[in-house]
Amino acid sequence: MTPRQARHRFAATTLAAVAFLTPLTTGCDAVDKALDCGRLAVEISNDVDNLQDALSGATADASDADKVLDALDKDIDKVGDHTDNADVGKALGDLRKAVDNVQTSVDSGEHPDLSPVKDAAAELTDVCTP
């Protein structure tokens, strides 16, 4: 199993577990926020995979990377709008900084290091898991 497949499996398992628990605690704001955070963490994980695809190999395309980076920014904002958890806030701050660094590299025509983005996205997934 590749790291990408493992990340997708982990994210899907996390989302399934949260979805299973949600009916048991209907109306609980904390669970609703955790579910939203989990869903958005999966979206961000997918964005990170798309970014890696846009920047890898002979078909690397800065305009595709810019589109993915815009999507990442929007998803980061969505998570921030749905939580006031300090751990989530820190993970979002780390992710935003890593995304900004990638954007700077892309704008400069350099090949960016995506490992900080991947690490920050993994941290977000961890803190969004109830």
Side-chain angles (χ1 to χ4, degrees):
M1 179 181 308
T2 67
R4 183 178 188 180
Q5 290 171 325
R7 200 170 41 250
H8 280 279
R9 180 174 289 182
F10 175 75
T13 303
T14 300
L15 189 56
V18 172
F20 173 76
L21 294 174
T22 298
L24 301 176
T25 57
T26 302
C28 180
D29 286 340
V31 172
D32 290 341
K33 285 184 179 184
L35 184 58
D36 287 341
C37 185
R39 284 184 191 137
L40 292 168
V42 170
E43 285 182 39
I44 287 173
S45 177
N46 290 336
D47 291 340
V48 171
D49 290 339
N50 292 339
L51 181 61
Q52 184 171 349
D53 291 346
L55 293 172
S56 64
T59 61
D61 185 347
S63 66
D64 285 346
D66 283 334
K67 290 176 191 173
V68 176
L69 288 165
D70 287 343
L72 261 168
D73 281 335
K74 289 177 185 173
D75 288 340
I76 290 168
D77 290 342
K78 284 183 204 175
V79 174
D81 292 344
H82 286 89
T83 186
D84 55 2
N85 181 289
D87 292 333
V88 173
K90 182 187 177 319
L92 288 174
D94 293 345
L95 182 57
R96 172 124 8 240
K97 181 179 177 183
V99 168
D100 288 347
N101 289 339
V102 168
Q103 183 69 61
T104 300
S105 294
V106 169
D107 291 345
S108 300
E110 300 171 7
H111 186 75
D113 177 11
L114 296 180
S115 57
V117 174
K118 293 176 191 176
D119 293 345
E123 178 64 20
L124 179 62
T125 299
D126 288 344
V127 298
C128 283
T129 304

